[in-house]
Amino acid sequence: MRIDLTDTNASKINKALVQGRRAIGTPAVGMVLTLVIVTDEEHAYDAIKAAGDASREHPSRTLVVIRRVSRSPRDRHDTRLDAELRLGSDAGAGETVLLRLRGELTRRADSVVLPLLLPDAPVVVWWPVGAPPVPAKDPLGALAQRRITDAYAVESPISELAARAAGYAPGDTDLAWTRLTPWRSMLAAALDQARAEVTSAVVESEAENPSAELLARWFVDRLKVPVEMVVTDGPVVTAVRLRTSEGEIHIDRPEGPVARLAIPGQPSRVLALKVRTTAELIAEELRRLDPDDTYAAALRVTVTAPGPGEEDAVTEAAAAETAPAEKTE
């Protein structure tokens, strides 16, 4: 079911949602959170589809904030809110409200969103593109317990990670980190089996990949070892090698949905390690709304590129740290 409202307000939207639910016989009590998506028209379709798929695991009210850019002086005085409501089969397992803001409302989106939040339910804000420099200080970000960005969606991902570290607040996370969950799980399990001290690590990936960068920082933070970054054709992270006193632990995924894991003294094995969809990444992030301290620690590590005559890329933290290696979590 779809309902279009032109030149409307939050009160009319709430009333239309109640009427729409009654018409299709769908209660609101099953929704567990409010997901606010801040995007533009170009990226709205993909973001809404991903949120709809994720809502089958986390039924939610999805508010899509689309700021319409004024193209003439006359348009700047056209302050207006248009809304499109989607319920039932058109909105996954929840309900979706597209909010198209014009004029002064583009700078006061929080005043439009606030009355539409589900009462007594967590709020998550996701910027598929165009995230603010400091998400927690953004008016919409300040409403949320969880703020999701994506460093992969910008032109300079590594610089974006530096900005995220500078403006980090508990509750911030990034899909570049979420993409690493299967890698981190497999590597932690491999280290538990090998029970050997790691002396260095190698991360192979396409150039300027933020997930690879965060993986290298995670190694430095947890293992206190130098990390070498190797550029490949991708896609994303293609291999990880952990050099230990007993031999090399490595996971290779040059292409496709499977990877090969090798541990010293054990036969190699094939594991499922596909590149996950945005919907799967969002669904994972919605499972936990508490601060991700591991992400915060990895984000703050600085990776130093090698200069002439220097060793392969190592992190400053690894160069200064002499504590014994510890296993990943």
Side-chain angles (χ1 to χ4, degrees), residues 216-245:
R217 297 183 185 194
W218 181 61
F219 286 147
V220 172
D221 178 64
R222 306 307 297 169
L223 299 175
K224 316 301 183 190
V225 297
V227 180
E228 176 186 356
M229 305 290 289
V230 176
V231 176
T232 65
D233 293 333
V236 294
V237 179
T238 56
V240 173
R241 307 181 189 281
L242 300 179
R243 295 167 180 146
T244 76
S245 54

Short mmCIF file of all heavy atoms in Angstrom, two decimals, residues 216-245:
data_model
loop_
_atom_site.label_atom_id
_atom_site.label_comp_id
_atom_site.label_asym_id
_atom_site.label_seq_id
_atom_site.Cartn_x
_atom_site.Cartn_y
_atom_site.Cartn_z
N ALA A 216 44.24 -4.06 8.80
CA ALA A 216 45.64 -3.86 9.19
C ALA A 216 45.73 -3.18 10.55
O ALA A 216 46.53 -3.55 11.41
CB ALA A 216 46.36 -3.04 8.13
N ARG A 217 44.89 -2.19 10.77
CA ARG A 217 44.90 -1.49 12.06
C ARG A 217 44.46 -2.42 13.20
O ARG A 217 44.96 -2.31 14.32
CB ARG A 217 43.98 -0.28 11.99
CG ARG A 217 44.43 0.77 10.98
CD ARG A 217 43.52 1.98 11.00
NE ARG A 217 43.87 2.94 9.95
CZ ARG A 217 43.43 4.19 9.90
NH1 ARG A 217 42.62 4.64 10.86
NH2 ARG A 217 43.79 4.99 8.92
N TRP A 218 43.52 -3.31 12.90
CA TRP A 218 43.07 -4.27 13.91
C TRP A 218 44.21 -5.20 14.31
O TRP A 218 44.40 -5.50 15.49
CB TRP A 218 41.89 -5.06 13.34
CG TRP A 218 41.30 -6.07 14.27
CD1 TRP A 218 40.73 -5.86 15.49
CD2 TRP A 218 41.21 -7.48 14.02
NE1 TRP A 218 40.28 -7.05 16.02
CE2 TRP A 218 40.56 -8.05 15.14
CE3 TRP A 218 41.59 -8.31 12.96
CZ2 TRP A 218 40.29 -9.42 15.23
CZ3 TRP A 218 41.32 -9.67 13.04
CH2 TRP A 218 40.70 -10.21 14.17
N PHE A 219 45.00 -5.66 13.33
CA PHE A 219 46.15 -6.50 13.63
C PHE A 219 47.13 -5.76 14.54
O PHE A 219 47.66 -6.33 15.50
CB PHE A 219 46.88 -6.91 12.34
CG PHE A 219 46.16 -7.95 11.53
CD1 PHE A 219 46.24 -7.94 10.15
CD2 PHE A 219 45.41 -8.94 12.14
CE1 PHE A 219 45.58 -8.89 9.39
CE2 PHE A 219 44.75 -9.91 11.39
CZ PHE A 219 44.84 -9.88 10.01
N VAL A 220 47.38 -4.52 14.24
CA VAL A 220 48.32 -3.75 15.04
C VAL A 220 47.80 -3.58 16.46
O VAL A 220 48.53 -3.73 17.44
CB VAL A 220 48.58 -2.38 14.38
CG1 VAL A 220 49.39 -1.49 15.31
CG2 VAL A 220 49.31 -2.56 13.07
N ASP A 221 46.53 -3.26 16.56
CA ASP A 221 45.95 -3.02 17.88
C ASP A 221 45.94 -4.29 18.73
O ASP A 221 46.24 -4.25 19.92
CB ASP A 221 44.54 -2.48 17.73
CG ASP A 221 43.85 -2.25 19.06
OD1 ASP A 221 44.34 -1.39 19.83
OD2 ASP A 221 42.84 -2.92 19.33
N ARG A 222 45.61 -5.42 18.12
CA ARG A 222 45.46 -6.66 18.89
C ARG A 222 46.74 -7.49 18.97
O ARG A 222 47.01 -8.12 19.98
CB ARG A 222 44.34 -7.53 18.28
CG ARG A 222 43.00 -6.83 18.12
CD ARG A 222 42.52 -6.20 19.41
NE ARG A 222 42.29 -7.20 20.44
CZ ARG A 222 42.07 -6.93 21.71
NH1 ARG A 222 42.07 -5.68 22.13
NH2 ARG A 222 41.86 -7.90 22.58
N LEU A 223 47.52 -7.53 17.88
CA LEU A 223 48.69 -8.40 17.83
C LEU A 223 50.00 -7.67 18.07
O LEU A 223 51.02 -8.31 18.34
CB LEU A 223 48.75 -9.11 16.48
CG LEU A 223 47.57 -10.02 16.13
CD1 LEU A 223 47.71 -10.57 14.72
CD2 LEU A 223 47.46 -11.17 17.13
N LYS A 224 50.01 -6.35 17.93
CA LYS A 224 51.22 -5.54 18.12
C LYS A 224 52.34 -5.98 17.19
O LYS A 224 53.48 -6.19 17.60
CB LYS A 224 51.71 -5.64 19.58
CG LYS A 224 50.62 -5.53 20.63
CD LYS A 224 49.86 -4.24 20.55
CE LYS A 224 48.82 -4.16 21.67
NZ LYS A 224 47.89 -3.03 21.51
N VAL A 225 52.02 -6.14 15.90
CA VAL A 225 53.02 -6.58 14.92
C VAL A 225 53.01 -5.62 13.73
O VAL A 225 52.02 -4.93 13.48
CB VAL A 225 52.73 -8.02 14.43
CG1 VAL A 225 52.83 -9.01 15.57
CG2 VAL A 225 51.36 -8.10 13.76
N PRO A 226 54.11 -5.56 12.98
CA PRO A 226 54.12 -4.76 11.75
C PRO A 226 53.23 -5.39 10.70
O PRO A 226 53.09 -6.62 10.61
CB PRO A 226 55.59 -4.77 11.33
CG PRO A 226 56.16 -6.00 11.95
CD PRO A 226 55.42 -6.20 13.24
N VAL A 227 52.61 -4.55 9.88
CA VAL A 227 51.69 -5.01 8.85
C VAL A 227 52.11 -4.46 7.49
O VAL A 227 52.33 -3.26 7.33
CB VAL A 227 50.24 -4.57 9.16
CG1 VAL A 227 49.28 -5.06 8.07
CG2 VAL A 227 49.80 -5.08 10.51
N GLU A 228 52.21 -5.35 6.52
CA GLU A 228 52.55 -4.96 5.15
C GLU A 228 51.27 -4.93 4.32
O GLU A 228 50.45 -5.85 4.38
CB GLU A 228 53.53 -5.97 4.55
CG GLU A 228 53.88 -5.70 3.09
CD GLU A 228 54.75 -6.80 2.50
OE1 GLU A 228 55.14 -7.72 3.24
OE2 GLU A 228 55.01 -6.73 1.28
N MET A 229 51.09 -3.86 3.55
CA MET A 229 49.93 -3.73 2.68
C MET A 229 50.36 -4.00 1.24
O MET A 229 51.28 -3.34 0.73
CB MET A 229 49.32 -2.34 2.79
CG MET A 229 48.95 -1.92 4.20
SD MET A 229 47.55 -2.83 4.86
CE MET A 229 46.23 -2.13 3.87
N VAL A 230 49.72 -4.96 0.57
CA VAL A 230 50.04 -5.32 -0.80
C VAL A 230 48.84 -5.03 -1.69
O VAL A 230 47.72 -5.46 -1.37
CB VAL A 230 50.43 -6.81 -0.91
CG1 VAL A 230 50.69 -7.20 -2.37
CG2 VAL A 230 51.67 -7.10 -0.06
N VAL A 231 49.04 -4.33 -2.79
CA VAL A 231 47.95 -3.97 -3.70
C VAL A 231 47.75 -5.07 -4.72
O VAL A 231 48.69 -5.53 -5.37
CB VAL A 231 48.25 -2.63 -4.41
CG1 VAL A 231 47.15 -2.31 -5.42
CG2 VAL A 231 48.36 -1.50 -3.38
N THR A 232 46.48 -5.50 -4.88
CA THR A 232 46.12 -6.50 -5.87
C THR A 232 44.97 -5.94 -6.72
O THR A 232 44.54 -4.81 -6.53
CB THR A 232 45.67 -7.82 -5.20
OG1 THR A 232 44.45 -7.58 -4.46
CG2 THR A 232 46.74 -8.34 -4.27
N ASP A 233 44.46 -6.76 -7.62
CA ASP A 233 43.35 -6.33 -8.48
C ASP A 233 41.99 -6.41 -7.77
O ASP A 233 40.98 -5.98 -8.32
CB ASP A 233 43.31 -7.18 -9.76
CG ASP A 233 44.52 -6.92 -10.65
OD1 ASP A 233 45.07 -5.81 -10.57
OD2 ASP A 233 44.90 -7.83 -11.40
N GLY A 234 41.96 -6.98 -6.56
CA GLY A 234 40.69 -7.08 -5.84
C GLY A 234 39.88 -8.28 -6.33
O GLY A 234 40.42 -9.18 -6.98
N PRO A 235 38.60 -8.35 -6.03
CA PRO A 235 37.81 -7.31 -5.37
C PRO A 235 38.02 -7.29 -3.86
O PRO A 235 38.25 -8.33 -3.25
CB PRO A 235 36.36 -7.71 -5.70
CG PRO A 235 36.41 -9.20 -5.80
CD PRO A 235 37.77 -9.52 -6.39
N VAL A 236 37.96 -6.10 -3.29
CA VAL A 236 38.16 -5.83 -1.87
C VAL A 236 39.36 -6.60 -1.33
O VAL A 236 40.40 -6.66 -1.97
CB VAL A 236 36.86 -6.09 -1.05
CG1 VAL A 236 35.79 -5.11 -1.44
CG2 VAL A 236 36.33 -7.51 -1.24
N VAL A 237 39.27 -7.19 -0.13
CA VAL A 237 40.40 -7.94 0.44
C VAL A 237 40.50 -9.29 -0.25
O VAL A 237 39.52 -10.03 -0.36
CB VAL A 237 40.21 -8.13 1.96
CG1 VAL A 237 41.38 -8.92 2.54
CG2 VAL A 237 40.06 -6.78 2.66
N THR A 238 41.70 -9.62 -0.74
CA THR A 238 41.88 -10.88 -1.47
C THR A 238 42.70 -11.91 -0.69
O THR A 238 42.59 -13.11 -0.97
CB THR A 238 42.56 -10.64 -2.82
OG1 THR A 238 43.80 -9.94 -2.60
CG2 THR A 238 41.68 -9.78 -3.71
N ALA A 239 43.51 -11.48 0.27
CA ALA A 239 44.30 -12.45 1.04
C ALA A 239 44.82 -11.79 2.32
O ALA A 239 45.03 -10.58 2.37
CB ALA A 239 45.48 -12.97 0.22
N VAL A 240 45.02 -12.64 3.32
CA VAL A 240 45.64 -12.22 4.58
C VAL A 240 46.64 -13.30 4.97
O VAL A 240 46.34 -14.49 4.91
CB VAL A 240 44.60 -12.05 5.71
CG1 VAL A 240 45.29 -11.78 7.04
CG2 VAL A 240 43.63 -10.93 5.39
N ARG A 241 47.83 -12.87 5.38
CA ARG A 241 48.88 -13.80 5.79
C ARG A 241 49.42 -13.38 7.15
O ARG A 241 49.82 -12.23 7.33
CB ARG A 241 50.01 -13.84 4.75
CG ARG A 241 49.49 -14.10 3.34
CD ARG A 241 50.59 -14.18 2.30
NE ARG A 241 50.00 -14.22 0.96
CZ ARG A 241 49.46 -15.29 0.39
NH1 ARG A 241 49.46 -16.44 1.06
NH2 ARG A 241 48.93 -15.24 -0.81
N LEU A 242 49.42 -14.33 8.08
CA LEU A 242 49.97 -14.11 9.41
C LEU A 242 51.22 -14.98 9.56
O LEU A 242 51.12 -16.22 9.54
CB LEU A 242 48.95 -14.46 10.49
CG LEU A 242 47.63 -13.67 10.46
CD1 LEU A 242 46.71 -14.16 11.57
CD2 LEU A 242 47.89 -12.19 10.60
N ARG A 243 52.37 -14.34 9.66
CA ARG A 243 53.62 -15.08 9.81
C ARG A 243 53.84 -15.39 11.29
O ARG A 243 53.83 -14.49 12.13
CB ARG A 243 54.77 -14.27 9.24
CG ARG A 243 54.64 -14.06 7.73
CD ARG A 243 55.59 -13.03 7.22
NE ARG A 243 55.45 -12.85 5.76
CZ ARG A 243 55.61 -11.70 5.15
NH1 ARG A 243 55.91 -10.60 5.83
NH2 ARG A 243 55.46 -11.62 3.83
N THR A 244 54.03 -16.67 11.59
CA THR A 244 54.20 -17.10 12.98
C THR A 244 55.50 -17.89 13.11
O THR A 244 56.15 -18.24 12.12
CB THR A 244 53.03 -17.99 13.43
OG1 THR A 244 53.16 -19.30 12.87
CG2 THR A 244 51.69 -17.38 13.01
N SER A 245 55.84 -18.22 14.35
CA SER A 245 57.05 -18.99 14.62
C SER A 245 56.93 -20.43 14.10
O SER A 245 57.93 -21.11 13.93
CB SER A 245 57.31 -19.02 16.13
OG SER A 245 56.15 -19.49 16.82
#
